[in-house]
Amino acid sequence: MFWMVLLLVVLGFGAYVRLAPSDALRWHVSKKGAENRDFAGGALRVVEGDLAALDAIARAAPRTRVLAGSVGEGMVTYVTRSALWGFPDYTTVWQEGDSLHLYGRLRFGRSDLGVNRDRLERWLAQL
Protein backbone atom coordinates (compact mmCIF):
# COMPACT_ATOMS: atom_id res chain seq x y z
CA MET A 1 0.00 0.00 0.00
CA PHE A 2 2.84 2.39 0.89
CA TRP A 3 4.45 1.89 -2.52
CA MET A 4 1.16 2.55 -4.30
CA VAL A 5 0.71 5.85 -2.44
CA LEU A 6 4.33 6.80 -3.14
CA LEU A 7 3.88 6.00 -6.82
CA LEU A 8 0.73 8.14 -6.97
CA VAL A 9 2.53 11.04 -5.27
CA VAL A 10 5.44 10.83 -7.71
CA LEU A 11 3.12 10.63 -10.73
CA GLY A 12 1.02 13.50 -9.39
CA PHE A 13 4.13 15.64 -8.92
CA GLY A 14 5.31 14.80 -12.44
CA ALA A 15 1.93 15.73 -13.89
CA TYR A 16 1.87 19.00 -11.96
CA VAL A 17 5.35 19.99 -13.18
CA ARG A 18 4.53 19.19 -16.81
CA LEU A 19 1.02 20.63 -16.89
CA ALA A 20 1.30 23.74 -14.69
CA PRO A 21 0.55 26.75 -16.92
CA SER A 22 3.23 29.36 -17.60
CA ASP A 23 2.01 32.88 -16.91
CA ALA A 24 3.58 35.19 -19.50
CA LEU A 25 2.93 38.23 -17.28
CA ARG A 26 5.09 36.70 -14.56
CA TRP A 27 7.94 35.34 -16.69
CA HIS A 28 8.18 37.72 -19.66
CA VAL A 29 10.16 40.37 -17.79
CA SER A 30 13.59 41.90 -18.17
CA LYS A 31 16.02 42.29 -15.31
CA LYS A 32 16.86 45.96 -14.81
CA GLY A 33 20.54 46.68 -14.33
CA ALA A 34 21.44 43.26 -15.70
CA GLU A 35 25.10 42.31 -15.58
CA ASN A 36 26.99 39.05 -15.93
CA ARG A 37 26.37 36.96 -12.84
CA ASP A 38 25.34 33.51 -11.71
CA PHE A 39 22.94 32.78 -8.87
CA ALA A 40 21.46 29.62 -7.33
CA GLY A 41 18.43 29.58 -9.63
CA GLY A 42 19.89 30.90 -12.86
CA ALA A 43 22.22 33.30 -14.62
CA LEU A 44 22.46 36.65 -16.38
CA ARG A 45 24.66 37.49 -19.35
CA VAL A 46 25.20 40.73 -21.27
CA VAL A 47 27.08 40.54 -24.58
CA GLU A 48 27.24 42.32 -27.89
CA GLY A 49 24.94 40.54 -30.27
CA ASP A 50 21.80 40.41 -32.35
CA LEU A 51 18.44 39.29 -30.99
CA ALA A 52 17.31 37.82 -34.32
CA ALA A 53 20.39 35.57 -34.50
CA LEU A 54 19.97 34.39 -30.92
CA ASP A 55 16.25 33.80 -31.52
CA ALA A 56 17.08 31.32 -34.28
CA ILE A 57 19.49 29.49 -31.96
CA ALA A 58 16.98 29.37 -29.11
CA ARG A 59 14.14 28.12 -31.31
CA ALA A 60 16.37 25.28 -32.54
CA ALA A 61 17.25 24.21 -28.98
CA PRO A 62 15.71 20.92 -27.80
CA ARG A 63 12.47 21.15 -25.80
CA THR A 64 12.37 24.96 -26.16
CA ARG A 65 9.41 27.06 -27.24
CA VAL A 66 8.49 30.73 -27.20
CA LEU A 67 6.34 31.77 -24.26
CA ALA A 68 5.93 35.45 -25.14
CA GLY A 69 7.38 38.31 -27.15
CA SER A 70 9.09 38.51 -30.52
CA VAL A 71 12.21 39.83 -32.18
CA GLY A 72 10.13 42.74 -33.50
CA GLU A 73 9.17 43.68 -29.94
CA GLY A 74 12.82 43.53 -28.88
CA MET A 75 12.25 40.91 -26.17
CA VAL A 76 11.47 37.17 -26.25
CA THR A 77 10.90 34.70 -23.41
CA TYR A 78 11.49 30.99 -24.01
CA VAL A 79 10.49 27.96 -21.95
CA THR A 80 12.91 25.05 -21.99
CA ARG A 81 11.84 21.83 -20.29
CA SER A 82 14.16 19.20 -18.82
CA ALA A 83 14.18 15.87 -20.60
CA LEU A 84 13.13 13.55 -17.79
CA TRP A 85 10.69 15.45 -15.56
CA GLY A 86 9.82 18.36 -17.81
CA PHE A 87 10.86 21.05 -15.32
CA PRO A 88 10.38 24.44 -16.99
CA ASP A 89 13.19 26.99 -17.11
CA TYR A 90 12.54 30.49 -18.46
CA THR A 91 15.00 32.48 -20.53
CA THR A 92 14.22 36.09 -21.39
CA VAL A 93 16.37 37.75 -24.02
CA TRP A 94 16.19 41.44 -24.91
CA GLN A 95 18.12 43.92 -27.02
CA GLU A 96 19.33 47.29 -25.69
CA GLY A 97 21.32 49.06 -28.39
CA ASP A 98 24.20 46.75 -29.33
CA SER A 99 23.84 44.80 -26.07
CA LEU A 100 22.02 41.52 -25.87
CA HIS A 101 20.77 40.58 -22.40
CA LEU A 102 20.01 36.97 -21.42
CA TYR A 103 18.23 36.13 -18.17
CA GLY A 104 17.74 32.40 -17.48
CA ARG A 105 16.03 31.13 -14.34
CA LEU A 106 14.22 28.16 -12.89
CA ARG A 107 10.59 27.93 -11.86
CA PHE A 108 10.63 25.13 -9.29
CA GLY A 109 13.18 24.63 -6.54
CA ARG A 110 16.07 26.67 -5.20
CA SER A 111 18.98 25.55 -7.34
CA ASP A 112 19.18 24.67 -11.00
CA LEU A 113 22.64 23.04 -10.61
CA GLY A 114 24.00 25.39 -13.28
CA VAL A 115 21.58 24.28 -16.01
CA ASN A 116 20.51 27.81 -16.96
CA ARG A 117 24.10 29.09 -16.94
CA ASP A 118 25.14 26.22 -19.19
CA ARG A 119 22.25 26.87 -21.58
CA LEU A 120 23.13 30.56 -21.86
CA GLU A 121 26.77 29.69 -22.49
CA ARG A 122 25.80 27.15 -25.20
CA TRP A 123 23.56 29.66 -26.95
CA LEU A 124 26.24 32.35 -26.78
CA ALA A 125 28.89 29.97 -28.10
CA GLN A 126 26.66 29.31 -31.12
CA LEU A 127 26.11 33.04 -31.58
Side-chain angles (χ1 to χ4, degrees):
M1 183 66 171
F2 169 78
W3 294 110
M4 184 61 74
V5 171
L6 181 62
L7 177 64
L8 288 174
V9 168
V10 169
L11 291 175
F13 174 73
Y16 173 74
V17 166
R18 286 196 179 267
L19 301 174
S22 295
D23 181 5
L25 293 176
R26 178 176 179 193
W27 298 104
H28 186 58
V29 295
S30 61
K31 184 82 167 169
K32 300 299 178 197
E35 59 185 31
N36 289 338
R37 71 183 183 100
D38 299 332
F39 49 94
L44 287 157
R45 295 292 182 268
V46 180
V47 298
E48 285 189 24
D50 177 62
L51 181 57
L54 190 72
D55 180 66
I57 292 166
R59 287 174 185 264
R63 300 173 311 280
T64 300
R65 67 173 182 83
V66 172
L67 174 66
S70 68
V71 172
E73 293 174 21
M75 185 166 82
V76 185
T77 298
Y78 308 92
V79 180
T80 304
R81 292 194 173 267
S82 63
L84 179 62
W85 282 99
F87 282 104
D89 289 325
Y90 299 91
T91 305
T92 302
V93 182
W94 67 98
Q95 187 89 49
E96 287 182 10
D98 291 337
S99 295
L100 191 58
H101 299 253
L102 296 87
Y103 175 33
R105 65 260 189 225
L106 56 70
R107 175 172 179 178
F108 297 107
R110 294 186 185 162
S111 173
D112 68 349
L113 304 174
V115 170
N116 283 290
R117 177 199 65 229
D118 294 346
R119 179 180 309 106
L120 297 185
E121 296 297 334
R122 270 194 318 275
W123 289 3
L124 291 173
Q126 294 176 52
L127 188 62

